[in-house]
Amino acid sequence: MEIRTDYADGNYTIHVDYGILEASISEYIAAYSSVHFLVDQNVYALYKDSLLSFVQHPIILEGGEASKSFDAFKHITETLLERGIKRNHLIVVIGGGAAGDAGGFAAATVLRGVDYIQVPTTLLAHDSSIGGKTAINSGHGKNLIGAFHRPKAVIYDLSFLETLPHHELLSGFGEVFKHALLKDEETVRTLMDATRTKISLDMMKPFIISGIETKMHYVTTDEKESGIRKFLNLGHTLGHAIEYKYRMPHGMAVMLGLYFMMYASNEKAARNIFDLDSFRQYFELHGYPLEHLKAIDEVEMMTLMGKDKKNQSSDATGFVLMNDFGQCYFTEIDSNQLKKYISQLKESL
Amino acid sequence: MEIRTDYADGNYTIHVDYGILEASISEYIAAYSSVHFLVDQNVYALYKDSLLSFVQHPIILEGGEASKSFDAFKHITETLLERGIKRNHLIVVIGGGAAGDAGGFAAATVLRGVDYIQVPTTLLAHDSSIGGKTAINSGHGKNLIGAFHRPKAVIYDLSFLETLPHHELLSGFGEVFKHALLKDEETVRTLMDATRTKISLDMMKPFIISGIETKMHYVTTDEKESGIRKFLNLGHTLGHAIEYKYRMPHGMAVMLGLYFMMYASNEKAARNIFDLDSFRQYFELHGYPLEHLKAIDEVEMMTLMGKDKKNQSSDATGFVLMNDFGQCYFTEIDSNQLKKYISQLKESL
């Protein structure tokens, strides 16, 4: 399955299928005079003798968020330069969302930008690898330093997902669920029916492809987040704060953020757009820790959300809410109101 | 004097005159909800009670190249985030070329890009502040990590130049001279006549403006250095290597690089495009240390030049040479030939 982006120029292809990595990479490499592989250390340990046996002399990235520190950024770029990287070389970034963010930011900035290919290896990264956003973390929050730098291709080999631990599948499913909400009610219903008893990889491929297409729609229309791209932030405003505070996996925190979004959307609209009880049962059945919402501190969360880079103002917090499935709008919620929403949500749990 | 860029979109104005800073900045600030000043420490010490008395709570950048380390990058971006920077804020970068590079790179990457204004305070920065290139330094060479990020305006207040030490004037004059070479023979003759006995600020304004216009022509035609923008690299390939090795001021090293360019251009064309003796006398009269060229080591220079990010290949070194005043071409010089040119030049001095 191939999905082609639809920008005015600089388009690229997203390849999604099982067992496509080596053959796809070979085709792209042909156009460059050299290639540098940046590979997440955990992914390399798991696949160096199988899916990644063709990878020569990889630069190993620390696993997960550790690859997104300033020090790691320095290490990656200095190693690329040490190896004599030139502008007509290619970088291939292999790993989860963190590796993609860190490797992408290195590709965006070394020599002021070198071509790169994203090879996402987790379910979560089906989201983060699309759209050209790259970043490292600040002491003040995640992804606060970065660049927009489109890859030349995304090669999403689903074979990597077969060994994914269940909690990572759950985390990635948070973004799959978000993309379904962004599309329409029917997609949400179909997805929930397919996962009524169990979230598993078998049934995921069509929802992954649909999710990528949904995301593509938003990022090609609004690459730099001045308008509707912000809607992809659905569930992320509180989600990021929870993720940061509790070191919770991204997609798990997003699912909690989505639950808050549903609550706040209902309140704002003064009607039940979302049947909170049914979503709560569904989330809890699959192990999303909604009980964490009971423990959060309103003021601390608001401080963390105030640092979100999408927030323009300091008195109010910008949120993406919904009027209906597939119908987002952007609104600023003032501090008192927001505090009230969070308190009410805590009591309701 | 105002010069407007001529891109397809995202254009900005370059203001050049005496005493324009505070009034110009005020106009731009009005459109933003907050402003953050990044100011070179030496510039701030000199002007905090005069030209910069209107600047509130500046973030002080270490003077010169020290502001372009990874650590300084971390410090600048973390301080901006600590102060609660948002995407609808403005950054104003005040200082020489190094401050502009470092502050520009911070503006390019914090929150994935915030609007900024360049306020060059040196003669050299009339060059580096134009064109949207930002960067920090690597252990492997200067400016090897960076981004293209156009400013919203360049405000070049020539009043800053009045206190410029003579050696900085000389260094900046290297780029003024390069821009004259890039334009035509008449401009070079007029410039050399005006500086026959002394290089001073009085006569510089028309040449600065002409230099900015020349540079604008190249950068608007080819923003990302895939074609003719490379011609601005005239004199810089060897210049950067000398600057890196001898910690020589940028424009001084460029002038030495330009002398080598003239030598190599004559050799390549097998005719005297440039009257080397007259240029040599002129450069030496004004204190450009051509004697350093006698001391350089061919192999070491070639290794350093091989790391230049504009070099695509490792067997040969890319150079910009000239067929005539104002007539550049790009060529690859293989290692043996290059070694011979450098040796011959050393002997000729």
Side-chain angles (χ1 to χ4, degrees), chain B residues 215-279:
Chain B
K215 176 153 187 181
M216 281 312 316
H217 167 67
Y218 287 97
V219 302
T220 54
T221 312
D222 170 32
E223 184 167 30
K224 298 213 168 162
E225 277 187 321
S226 53
I228 68 159
R229 185 170 180 161
K230 282 185 186 164
F231 294 167
L232 294 171
N233 208 37
L234 192 73
H236 281 61
T237 308
L238 182 62
H240 271 150
I242 292 173
E243 177 182 1
Y244 186 75
K245 166 70 182 170
Y246 295 101
R247 310 279 159 200
M248 192 185 291
H250 179 72
M252 303 285 261
V254 166
M255 210 63 124
L256 271 52
L258 287 173
Y259 189 73
F260 175 73
M261 177 282 295
M262 292 174 181
Y263 180 86
S265 295
N266 285 355
E267 288 293 309
K268 268 275 189 189
R271 63 192 166 86
N272 278 346
I273 301 163
F274 300 101
D275 177 356
L276 291 177
D277 282 343
S278 78
F279 284 106

Side-chain angles (χ1 to χ4, degrees), chain A residues 33 70-71 73-75 77-79 81-82 84-89 101 105 108-113 132-140 143-148 224-225 230 305-314, chain B residues 33 70-71 73-75 77-79 81-82 84-89 101 105 108-113 132-140 143-148 224-225 230 305-314:
Chain A
S33 61
F70 279 96
D71 283 349
F73 170 61
K74 180 175 177 178
H75 172 73
T77 50
E78 291 289 43
T79 306
L81 291 164
E82 171 77 37
I85 190 167
K86 305 283 178 192
R87 282 199 180 151
N88 60 354
H89 292 183
D101 283 349
F105 186 55
T109 55
V110 71
L111 309 182
R112 293 199 189 91
K133 280 165 66 172
T134 72
I136 59 173
N137 296 334
S138 152
H140 300 280
N143 297 332
L144 294 181
I145 294 130
F148 292 94
K224 298 213 168 161
E225 276 187 321
K230 282 186 186 163
M305 289 189 285
K307 292 195 189 293
D308 192 296
K309 63 190 166 307
K310 281 137 199 143
N311 267 313
Q312 307 274 322
S313 144
S314 37
Chain B
S33 60
F70 279 95
D71 283 349
F73 170 62
K74 180 175 178 178
H75 172 73
T77 51
E78 290 290 41
T79 306
L81 291 164
E82 172 77 37
I85 189 167
K86 306 282 179 192
R87 283 198 179 151
N88 60 354
H89 292 185
D101 283 349
F105 187 54
T109 55
V110 71
L111 308 183
R112 293 199 189 91
K133 280 165 66 170
T134 72
I136 59 172
N137 296 334
S138 153
H140 300 281
N143 297 332
L144 294 181
I145 294 129
F148 292 94
K224 298 213 168 162
E225 277 187 321
K230 282 185 186 164
M305 289 189 283
K307 292 195 187 294
D308 192 296
K309 63 191 165 306
K310 281 137 199 143
N311 267 313
Q312 307 273 326
S313 143
S314 38

